[in-house]
Amino acid sequence: MTEPSQTAQLPSAQAASTQPASTQRSQAKANRRQALLSAAAALFALEGFNRVSLEDLGAAAGVSGPAVYRHFAGKQAVLGALLLSVSQDLLDGGRKVVADSDGDLAALGGLVAFHVDFALSNPDVIRVQDQDFSNLAGEDQAEVRTLQRNYVELWVDVLAGLHEGTEAAELRMRAHATFGLINSTPHSVRSHGRRIGVRRARPLLESMALAALLAPAPTEPLG
């Protein structure tokens, strides 16, 4: 009798065998490129950009150092691709959340859940952004900043519907403060004292972030 797992594998194996060789090569190249980016995130986060060599990256991804050049022009290009892809993914994901939401409050809750999920899933990338942004090529720095500004403005537009009459500068401050809260937590979740499980950390982070974003502005003191 055929095992269920074997039966389940047959269709995909047959499909793979019928794919054109060029398609299989393209997929293999894309998979290798992603493996290099994942290895770069882990190594840069642990050692810092300047201490990691192309040989280190290749070894972590299962290829030789020179083979990295088949995918990237150099180590700086790897860093650029890593931070650019993440920034684009954040912007695209945030836009989809807003487009699929019914009203500003639902959109804000969706954005918070989306960003919390990103932070808990990508602590290495957050660390790389914090410590190695200055090592990006100038053009990549400018593009990452543009993508990240657009992401912030997405939040500002939603917050504007919930805090009518509030200046955009104050709404941006709320957004940035919330990013700081969420993005800093994965470090403490995994590195200080007793480890907090993601299932516990996620709702706590979401609750704290929403409380900060929806808190009424304090009344300015008289005199």
Side-chain angles (χ1 to χ4, degrees):
M1 181 176 177
T2 304
E3 294 294 332
S5 60
Q6 295 175 320
T7 303
Q9 292 172 359
L10 287 175
S12 60
Q14 291 172 348
S17 66
T18 60
Q19 287 182 340
S22 59
T23 301
Q24 294 182 32
R25 286 195 298 270
S26 296
Q27 185 60 55
K29 184 176 181 179
N31 291 343
R32 184 66 68 193
R33 187 178 190 275
Q34 185 55 52
L36 285 165
L37 290 176
S38 297
L43 288 174
F44 292 163
L46 181 64
E47 301 290 345
F49 174 81
N50 292 319
R51 294 184 179 180
V52 176
S53 67
L54 280 178
E55 287 71 23
D56 295 330
L57 284 177
V63 300
S64 66
V68 177
Y69 286 110
R70 298 174 188 170
H71 305 273
F72 301 99
K75 188 174 69 167
Q76 192 178 47
V78 176
L79 178 64
L82 176 64
L83 295 185
L84 281 167
S85 63
V86 168
S87 299
Q88 187 67 63
D89 288 346
L90 271 175
L91 180 58
D92 292 344
R95 284 173 171 167
K96 187 177 187 308
V97 167
V98 174
D100 293 345
S101 298
D102 183 15
D104 291 323
L105 187 59
L108 187 64
L111 285 173
V112 167
F114 169 71
H115 198 95
V116 167
D117 184 64
F118 164 78
L120 292 175
S121 302
N122 299 277
D124 287 339
V125 174
I126 291 172
R127 192 183 297 275
V128 173
Q129 163 77 26
D130 289 345
Q131 69 188 16
D132 287 317
F133 180 83
S134 63
N135 287 308
L136 284 173
E139 183 177 340
D140 286 343
Q141 283 191 24
E143 189 171 351
V144 168
R145 284 195 179 104
T146 296
L147 291 169
Q148 292 179 349
R149 278 197 300 268
N150 290 339
Y151 182 61
V152 172
E153 292 308 304
L154 193 68
W155 285 66
V156 170
D157 289 343
V158 171
L159 287 168
L162 298 169
H163 295 280
E164 294 184 8
T166 302
E167 293 184 0
E170 181 178 321
L171 299 178
R172 288 189 194 97
M173 184 186 71
R174 286 179 183 260
H176 281 294
T178 301
F179 297 159
L181 165 68
I182 296 173
N183 289 349
S184 67
T185 305
H187 304 311
S188 60
V189 164
R190 69 175 187 169
S191 63
H192 293 293
R194 183 178 177 182
R195 185 181 179 91
I196 301 173
V198 170
R199 291 181 63 183
R200 174 64 178 167
R202 187 188 306 278
L204 181 60
L205 273 175
E206 291 180 5
S207 177
M208 293 171 65
L210 281 172
L213 290 164
L214 294 173
T219 303
E220 293 185 7
L222 298 177

